[in-house]
DNA sequence: AAAAAGCATTGATTCTGATCAATCCTTTTA
DNA sequence: TAAAAGGATTGATCAGAATCAATGCTTTTT
């Protein structure tokens, strides 16, 4: 249990056996079936999740019922509504499982205590959030400045696993497109 | 000197006099004239900057010479090409001053040493990057899911100071629009 | 095994924002 | 103070993505 989590942790910040054991006491495992919610808009996000196995998405829904995928997560990634987690306000995003998944949950109190007692945990957190920030900045830059074809090719090279595992209409949503448009882009790319 | 920087720091993580004095030895002041570069694409980003006074923008330029503004920064904000700063690779963004500005620079080595010797500095860093992450996520969400008018009204309420101080065509660029389109959106909003 | 649901593709049409171009105003610069 | 540069607005046209609609295929459910 928690293999991926500690693999990821040790890769960024090496831990002793004792530290691992300590951290373990703050973690909770959770399994989700495909389509099951981890978080629903309006609820407060009480914990954030590391993905051991599976795939999830976070998304918002507008008044007309359209889904806008904010983020995908697969093995080795964190997923949560960070704003709700930090502030305690109701979540503006939904999170659910695209595949059967296994998660490691860290509750808000666990997180706070780990930050307080274990400097390495803060370092791990800092590195993770920095990585997430850089990834999102790249995405935003490409949305603003790159033509669609390039953006899709970019996505494919950046996240080949996700392309394999996730239906196209979700990728379209992630890119801010309709499924029809993405389908046409794919055809343009393949016929050249 | 460094008033804003330490105001911001103390607000997030209270410091003792000694700690402030220690940190000061790692900081460098810098003034920029309007239009002056802080960083040019292709150079390595050797330091990141806290803005004491003034306004800057970071932006990328495509092959056709079009500018895409990635971020604005005013008093109390950090600005840098974080990816280049961390990896040491050539910067993909330019940063220059929209107004005469006063900055506090933290070099890469200063940053690393402060992270190592002063846990409060790491906490400050973590909180800053988390805040930047959340702000960018909001921006991305609104790009993907909100109609243009709403996005602009959002921008106005979120950054009223920037609307005052920055020419509209830059705000258009930040929103991924042409100046003409932004002008038309403004008219639509005002005539209702 | 049949029915239903989910998904990708394609075509026709509509609509929104980009582009091209001109004008007016304000701020810098010479 | 005149000239130039920078910026905002408006109009006309064009291009690209959304929308609406239909079809065929695959996977899930019954």
């Amino acid at each position: 249990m928690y293999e991926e989590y500690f693999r990821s942790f040790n890769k960024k910040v090496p831990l002793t056996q004792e530290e691992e054991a300590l951290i373990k006491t703050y973690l909770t495992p959770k399994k989700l079936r495909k389509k099951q919610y981890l978080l629903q808009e309006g609820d407060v996000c009480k914990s954030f999740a590391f993905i051991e196995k599976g795939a999830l998405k976070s998304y918002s829904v507008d008044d007309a019922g359209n889904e806008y995928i904010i983020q995908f997560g697969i093995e080795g990634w964190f997923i949560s509504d960070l704003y709700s987690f930090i502030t305690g306000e109701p979540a503006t995003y939904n999170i659910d499982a695209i595949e059967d998944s296994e998660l490691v949950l860290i509750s808000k109190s666990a997180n706070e205590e780990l930050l307080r007692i274990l400097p390495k945990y803060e370092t791990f957190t800092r590195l993770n959030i920095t990585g997430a920030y850089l990834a999102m900045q790249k995405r935003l830059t490409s949305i603003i400045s790159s033509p669609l074809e390039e953006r899709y090719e970019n996505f494919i090279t950046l996240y080949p696993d996700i392309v394999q595992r996730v239906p196209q209409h979700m990728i379209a949503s992630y890119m801010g497109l309709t499924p029809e448009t993405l389908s046409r882009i794919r055809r343009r790319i393949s016929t050249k």
Side-chain angles (χ1 to χ4, degrees), chain A residues 126-191:
Chain A
R126 174 177 60 82
L127 292 175
N128 283 138
I129 186 79
T130 302
Y133 174 86
L134 291 176
M136 192 156 59
Q137 186 168 65
K138 262 197 188 143
R139 179 177 170 198
L140 197 134
T141 304
S142 100
I143 286 182
I144 291 182
S145 63
S146 301
L148 274 187
E149 284 192 27
E150 209 175 306
R151 269 168 66 196
Y152 181 66
E153 282 170 335
N154 224 295
F155 182 85
I156 292 175
T157 53
L158 211 52
Y159 305 109
D161 343 10
I162 290 180
V163 177
Q164 296 307 317
R165 288 159 64 174
V166 162
Q168 272 175 41
H169 72 269
M170 289 188 188
I171 294 172
S173 166
Y174 178 88
M175 296 181 67
L177 306 175
T178 59
E180 293 94 331
T181 299
L182 181 57
S183 171
R184 285 173 180 122
I185 288 167
R186 282 164 50 81
R187 197 156 65 104
R188 280 212 302 267
I189 289 174
S190 69
T191 61

Side-chain angles (χ1 to χ4, degrees), chain A residues 96-146:
Chain A
D96 63 24
I98 302 174
E99 306 171 354
D100 292 354
S101 300
E102 295 174 21
L103 310 174
V104 180
L105 299 188
I106 299 107
S107 73
K108 182 155 169 127
S109 57
N111 188 243
E112 281 165 0
E113 191 148 333
L114 280 169
L115 281 172
R116 200 169 55 242
I117 64 175
L118 192 65
K120 283 184 185 175
Y121 184 81
E122 175 150 48
T123 301
F124 181 55
T125 302
R126 174 177 60 82
L127 292 175
N128 283 138
I129 186 79
T130 302
Y133 174 86
L134 291 176
M136 192 156 59
Q137 186 168 65
K138 262 197 188 143
R139 179 177 170 198
L140 197 134
T141 304
S142 100
I143 286 182
I144 291 182
S145 63
S146 301

